[in-house]
Structures are given as structure tokens and as C-alpha cells.
Amino acid sequence: MLVLGIETSCDETAAALYDSERGLVAHRLYSQVPLHAQYGGVVPELASRDHVQKLLPLIDAAMRDAGARPNDISGVAYTAGPGLIGALLVGASVARSLAFAWSRPAIGVHHLEGHLLAPMLEAEAPEFPFLALLVSGGHTLLATVAGIGEYEIIGTSVDDAAGEAFDKTAKLLGLPYPGGPALARLADSGRSGRFRFPRPMLDRPGLDFSFSGLKTAVVVATRGLTLDEQTRADVAREFQDAVVETLVGKCERALRQTGLETLVVAGGVGANRKLRTELSELGQRLGVRVMYPRPEFCTDNAAMIAYAGYRRLAAGQCDGLEIRATARWPLDTLQPPCAERADAVGSELGPRDA
Ligand code: KG4
Ligand code: ZN
């Protein structure tokens, strides 16, 4: 079974092909970072227009990389949400149209399900059940994952997501968009001990997070200071330490509470080196396996969408002829594939070799 995956939920245009026998056979990504950098953040309308221009050539390139022709494709998976509605609509319209033209099933994939399943693209894939820490630009959550579509959220951010906190703090420090990776790089040359920021919610019971106060702590601590290079690096270092310590503390609590023996880390902030090191140490201490996708599959990509779509299509699920795009879509409303089985039109176009 060969599934074409398409991702356009925010500022990356991506296309990938996942083969049930050979694994990932092609993945292409075009980043809009230079387009948005001059505005200091993503401009939704520009994102949509750029997806329109880049998506078809990118799909073409991915098909060529895989040596695949339309007839080889068993189904098309696309990100149906959550995300920027205009950007989602571009991927959804193209995916649904290609599937229709090729007489193949299409399936709208939840972006966060893609992130959660991304570690399964690796040679050593995690087995269900596991605990997942999902840390992206829009979400911070701890979830138990019992199977495809069996997600229970046991902790979430009550305000800013971890990635959002990285991005906003980076902006305060005058770093260019996207701030997370830039702040992480700056933190490498920072010294610890000069600043002390809170470790939000660690002193309270429960598994929820809160990151908006950290941003305020940075504003207060730097008020009146000259933000020379070393000062900015010291702030970045302490900020990153505070976020990482908080995430690791909550993961430890969740692992002890659930008794799960595997921790999967997903989403853009999962690419953070300091976080990966500290979580690996936690894993060693608790005798828990800690697994991550490679850094390029932590941030947005189409490989994870092709894979999540493949898992659902292979289980017999597919959509009808509608174009699905949903800006807000809670992860815990998802169902396992069988419970959501194909509706009328979709089932007539069932996957060729599922
Ligand atoms: O998962 P993702 O690519 O997009 C969303 O679905 O949101 O995550 C993007 C977020 C951004 O906030 C970005 O600053 C952050 O992940 N990020 C990082 C790093 N790489 C990406 N944050 C900290 N350290 C990094 N190395
Ligand atoms: Zn994402």
C-alpha cells in the first residue's frame, strides 16, 4: 500500500510517500520561514498563497523521488486540522482532488496524531501503550496512547504552549523568527546562575503546564538592563533550563502515575537538544524507554501525515468526497479507525490493496 501524505497546516509545504512494505520512500519539504521572517511571525494569507504555488511541484518531486506514478498510489492523506484554515484548505483541496481524479480514497488526518505517531517512522518504533509528551508551537500536552485514535490527555498547558513561550521569549531577546531554534542556539553560550526564573506548576500537584508567567519573568528580569550578547545568552540559558526542567518534572510525575514504560516525545520543541538529553537521563533513572523521531520529523512534515493516514486507510477508514479542514479540533475527540469507518462514497473507493 502506497500513501501520499500532504501537510500544509501552517508555514511548511510538505509531501511524502509511505509504503507499507518499504517504509518512507520520499519526503519533500518547503519552508516558508524566509517569507514570514520579515514580519516576525506567520502571516496566514501569505502562507495560504505560498502553499498554492509550491504544493503541486512538491508532490511531483516526491513522486519522482519514489519512482511512483499516480496508478501506484493507494490513497491520499492530508492534514485536515488543527491549523490555519486557509493553509489547511489548500492541502485539503489538492489532496481531495487528486484522490478523486485517481479514483483513490482520501483521508483527513489530525495534525497532532501525525506528530504522536512520527516516532513510528523510525527503525526502532515504540509499541503501544506509551506516554506521549507533545510539545509544539500550538500545543503542550501529556497523553496516554493505547493505540491509533486511543488518546487520553492527562496534562495540558493552561495558557501558552511550550513552543509559543520559546518564540515569544526569543522575540523579547530580539531574535529572528522562528525563535525556538534561535533561542536554543543562543542558550549554548549562556551561563547559569545569573538569572533565576520560576519552574511553573512544578510545586503544585497535577500534570498541567503554564508557560505565560515565564515570559513575564523574562520581561521583569531584563527591565533596565543593557541586552548585550552575553546577557541575552544568560537569559536564554535560564529560560531554556526552566522550560526543560518543568517538562521533565511533569513527565516524571506522569510516568510514575501511569506506570507506562515508554515515553515518546513529539512536536517541534522535541527537537530541542537540552530537552532530549534531560529526558534521556530521566529514562535511565526510571528504567523507561525514551523515544523521539529524528529532529526533522519533530517539526512539521508530511512523512508523519502519510504514516498516520496509512494506518487509518489500512484499517479500512476513509472519508467521503468532502474537503475537510478544521482550524480547531481537539485531539481527544478522535476515535480508533474501526469506529469511524468509511462513509458511503468513500467505501466505494476503498484502498486498492488494504
Ligand atoms: O510542531 P511544530 O513544527 O509546529 C507546530 O505544529 O506548532 O513546532 C514548532 C515550534 C515552534 O514554536 C518552534 O520555535 C519550536 O517548535 N522549536 C523549538 C526548536 N525547534 C523548533 N523550540 C525549542 N528548541 C528547538 N530546537
Ligand atoms: Zn506541528
Side-chain angles (χ1 to χ4, degrees):
M1 188 172 187
L2 183 64
V3 175
L4 168 64
I6 291 173
E7 156 66 37
T8 63
S9 67
C10 189
D11 59 346
E12 338 269 5
T13 319
L17 284 139
Y18 185 86
D19 184 294
S20 51
E21 305 295 317
R22 294 177 295 157
L24 188 67
V25 286
H27 74 101
R28 288 264 185 166
L29 184 136
Y30 173 82
S31 168
Q32 300 181 349
V33 161
L35 175 70
H36 300 293
Q38 56 186 310
Y39 304 101
V42 179
V43 183
E45 180 59 21
L46 293 183
S48 313
R49 290 186 205 183
D50 208 49
H51 287 312
V52 170
Q53 290 188 328
K54 301 297 185 328
L55 184 54
L56 278 172
L58 213 63
I59 293 172
D60 217 25
M63 300 271 285
R64 261 186 282 114
D65 291 347
R69 287 159 299 119
N71 216 28
D72 302 323
I73 304 289
S74 320
V76 183
Y78 62 92
T79 305
L84 301 172
I85 193 66
L88 288 167
L89 274 168
V90 177
S93 316
V94 168
R96 185 56 271 185
S97 308
L98 286 176
F100 183 72
W102 296 340
S103 299
R104 295 292 186 269
I107 186 152
V109 169
H110 194 292
H111 182 80
L112 299 185
E113 178 167 81
H115 275 304
L116 282 184
L117 302 181
M120 295 190 164
L121 289 161
E122 303 303 341
E124 254 190 85
E127 281 171 22
F128 301 121
F130 54 77
L131 176 73
L133 171 70
L134 203 152
V135 271
S136 71
H139 298 85
T140 301
L141 51 91
L142 276 164
T144 59
V145 179
I148 305 284
E150 296 179 60
Y151 313 126
E152 190 192 342
I153 296 175
I154 56 174
T156 187
S157 177
V158 297
D159 43 53
D160 290 355
E164 192 179 357
F166 263 94
D167 294 341
K168 287 179 175 171
T169 303
K171 214 169 190 175
L172 288 173
L173 296 177
L175 296 170
Y177 157 88
L183 190 146
R185 273 193 303 277
L186 185 61
D188 283 343
S189 50
R191 303 163 303 189
S192 79
R194 179 161 170 211
F195 296 98
R196 179 71 189 170
F197 300 145
R199 273 54 178 160
M201 312 276 272
L202 261 194
D203 54 346
R204 287 190 223 165
L207 298 171
D208 285 340
F209 305 91
S210 164
F211 291 111
S212 69
L214 261 182
K215 185 186 56 198
T216 314
V218 172
V219 173
V220 171
T222 54
R223 196 172 284 153
L225 290 184
T226 312
L227 283 181
D228 57 50
E229 190 63 17
Q230 189 60 53
T231 303
R232 289 159 69 237
D234 294 345
V235 170
R237 164 83 188 257
E238 174 60 11
F239 170 83
Q240 179 174 266
D241 285 355
V243 174
V244 168
E245 213 179 290
T246 306
L247 292 173
V248 173
K250 294 284 173 166
C251 284
E252 174 165 3
R253 209 175 277 178
L255 285 165
R256 291 187 189 280
Q257 196 171 303
T258 59
L260 289 167
E261 289 169 359
T262 305
L263 170 67
V264 159
V265 185
V269 184
N272 185 278
R273 239 179 330 113
K274 170 87 177 166
L275 179 65
R276 291 168 90 101
T277 308
E278 297 284 324
L279 284 176
S280 295
E281 279 177 26
L282 173 73
Q284 276 173 2
R285 196 151 48 78
L286 300 185
V288 163
R289 279 184 97 187
V290 182
M291 307 180 80
Y292 325 83
R294 69 197 86 163
E296 66 190 294
F297 293 158
C298 278
T299 46
D300 289 349
N301 66 87
M304 65 184 194
I305 302 303
Y307 181 76
Y310 152 67
R311 291 296 299 251
R312 286 187 175 270
L313 287 167
Q317 184 188 336
C318 62
D319 296 339
L321 288 178
E322 75 276 14
I323 292 168
R324 287 173 57 198
T326 316
R328 288 181 192 278
W329 184 6
L331 178 70
D332 52 4
T333 60
L334 289 186
Q335 297 288 317
C338 296
E340 272 185 12
R341 278 183 84 97
D343 57 21
V345 183
S347 57
E348 282 165 25
L349 305 172
R352 267 185 329 146
D353 49 357

